[in-house]
């Protein structure tokens, strides 16, 4: 069974630029999550999708972050414009009923 | 706010010893509990899940759950240098949302 796929793996941008991340969940997993992980901290939920609907986006900075999950499968997370404090690892995860599995993550550096 | 707390460590144990990692959670209604291992520069990897009170063993790993005390632990027997990593405790609520602790850094000394 293929795992959660993410791209790109690394991205370096300047502040005020935009960036987009892509995620393909494990086949059949209805729930998809985007997390932000800052060094030394646990993953922080940004947004949770159930199929193509948003379940929780209360911690998503909506003035600069957006996410969508078209057709209930792939998802994209966008940041526009980026700030220095957005430097972090962005993790995508998916789950069926019980367990959650992470993709490899995208390491974003904003200079 | 649902919280998951772990000692950040670092925890150091000699090779072959038992490593004990602890976690407490605030939401008494939580039903599912997980331990993830995260190597430096890598994403979290699921290593144990536990859903009912008591112990669950998988190889060298044992997860322990006490819902009355809102406490979860992970024991690693015969610790190996390859076990050196950060261990994240996670709790899933009824809305299928996961809450993570900040992780405990474990170093196994050869």
């Amino acid at each position: 069974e293929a795992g959660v796929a993410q791209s790109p793996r690394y991205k370096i941008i300047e502040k005020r630029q935009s960036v987009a991340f892509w995620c393909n969940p494990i086949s059949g997993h209805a729930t998809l999550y985007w997390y932000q992980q800052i060094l030394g901290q646990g993953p922080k939920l940004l947004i949770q999708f159930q199929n193509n609907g948003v379940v929780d986006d209360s911690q998503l900075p909506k003035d600069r972050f957006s996410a969508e999950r078209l057709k209930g499968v792939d998802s994209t997370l966008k940041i526009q414009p980026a700030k220095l404090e957005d430097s972090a690892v962005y993790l995508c995860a998916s789950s069926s009923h019980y367990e959650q599995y992470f993709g490899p993550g995208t390491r974003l550096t904003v200079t | 706010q649902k919280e998951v707390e772990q000692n950040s460590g670092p925890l150091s144990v000699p090779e072959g010893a038992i490593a004990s990692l602890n976690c407490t959670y605030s939401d008494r209604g939580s039903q599912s509990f997980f331990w993830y291992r995260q190597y430096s520069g890598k994403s979290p990897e699921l290593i144990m899940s536990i859903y009912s009170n008591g112990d669950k063993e998988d190889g060298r790993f044992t997860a322990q759950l006490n819902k009355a005390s809102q406490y979860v632990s992970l024991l690693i027997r015969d610790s190996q240098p390859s076990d050196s990593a950060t261990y994240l405790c996670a709790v899933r609520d009824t809305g299928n949302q996961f809450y993570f602790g900040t992780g405990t850094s474990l170093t196994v000394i050869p």
Side-chain angles (χ1 to χ4, degrees):
Chain A
E1 178 181 79
V4 177
Q6 286 188 251
S7 67
R9 294 294 309 278
Y10 306 91
K11 191 72 176 179
I12 301 174
I13 61 173
E14 296 182 350
K15 60 183 179 183
R16 292 187 290 274
Q17 287 187 325
S18 63
V19 65
F21 312 127
W22 172 83
C23 173
N24 181 251
I26 293 172
S27 177
H29 280 194
T31 310
L32 184 147
Y33 311 79
W34 283 102
Y35 292 91
Q36 180 192 61
Q37 187 176 28
I38 294 172
L39 190 64
Q41 299 182 16
K44 170 192 164 185
L45 180 69
L46 294 174
I47 189 167
Q48 176 184 348
F49 291 96
Q50 177 76 18
N51 296 310
N52 60 349
V54 175
V55 174
D56 186 343
D57 63 356
S58 58
Q59 298 194 80
L60 187 73
K62 298 181 186 64
D63 58 333
R64 298 184 300 107
F65 287 64
S66 64
E68 62 181 6
R69 189 183 186 195
L70 298 175
K71 300 181 181 179
V73 182
D74 293 7
S75 177
T76 57
L77 175 70
K78 298 179 181 178
I79 308 175
Q80 180 178 12
K83 293 185 175 181
L84 295 176
E85 60 260 36
D86 298 331
S87 294
V89 175
Y90 291 84
L91 296 164
C92 179
S94 70
S95 74
S96 54
H97 298 291
Y98 298 105
E99 298 177 342
Q100 177 186 81
Y101 297 92
F102 285 89
T106 298
R107 183 175 299 275
L108 174 66
T109 302
V110 182
T111 63
Chain B
Q1 180 71 7
K2 299 175 183 177
E3 296 183 346
V4 178
E5 296 195 1
Q6 301 179 248
N7 289 330
S8 61
L11 173 67
S12 294
V13 299
E15 184 174 355
I18 296 175
S20 178
L21 306 165
N22 304 313
C23 170
T24 59
Y25 59 94
S26 64
D27 180 17
R28 189 169 288 279
S30 300
Q31 296 295 316
S32 307
F33 307 87
F34 307 89
W35 284 98
Y36 288 82
R37 178 176 61 200
Q38 188 171 26
Y39 292 115
S40 179
K42 301 294 185 182
S43 63
E45 172 193 10
L46 180 65
I47 56 172
M48 287 289 286
S49 58
I50 186 166
Y51 306 105
S52 56
N53 279 329
D55 296 359
K56 178 182 178 182
E57 186 175 317
D58 184 1
R60 296 186 295 111
F61 298 97
T62 299
Q64 299 174 317
L65 174 61
N66 183 326
K67 290 184 180 179
S69 300
Q70 296 175 243
Y71 176 87
V72 192
S73 67
L74 179 70
L75 300 177
I76 306 174
R77 291 183 301 282
D78 188 24
S79 294
Q80 301 298 308
S82 58
D83 295 327
S84 298
T86 295
Y87 289 81
L88 295 164
C89 175
V91 176
R92 185 175 70 94
D93 69 9
T94 54
N96 209 19
Q97 190 166 125
F98 290 73
Y99 297 86
F100 288 83
T102 55
T104 298
S105 176
L106 171 66
T107 299
V108 180
I109 303 168

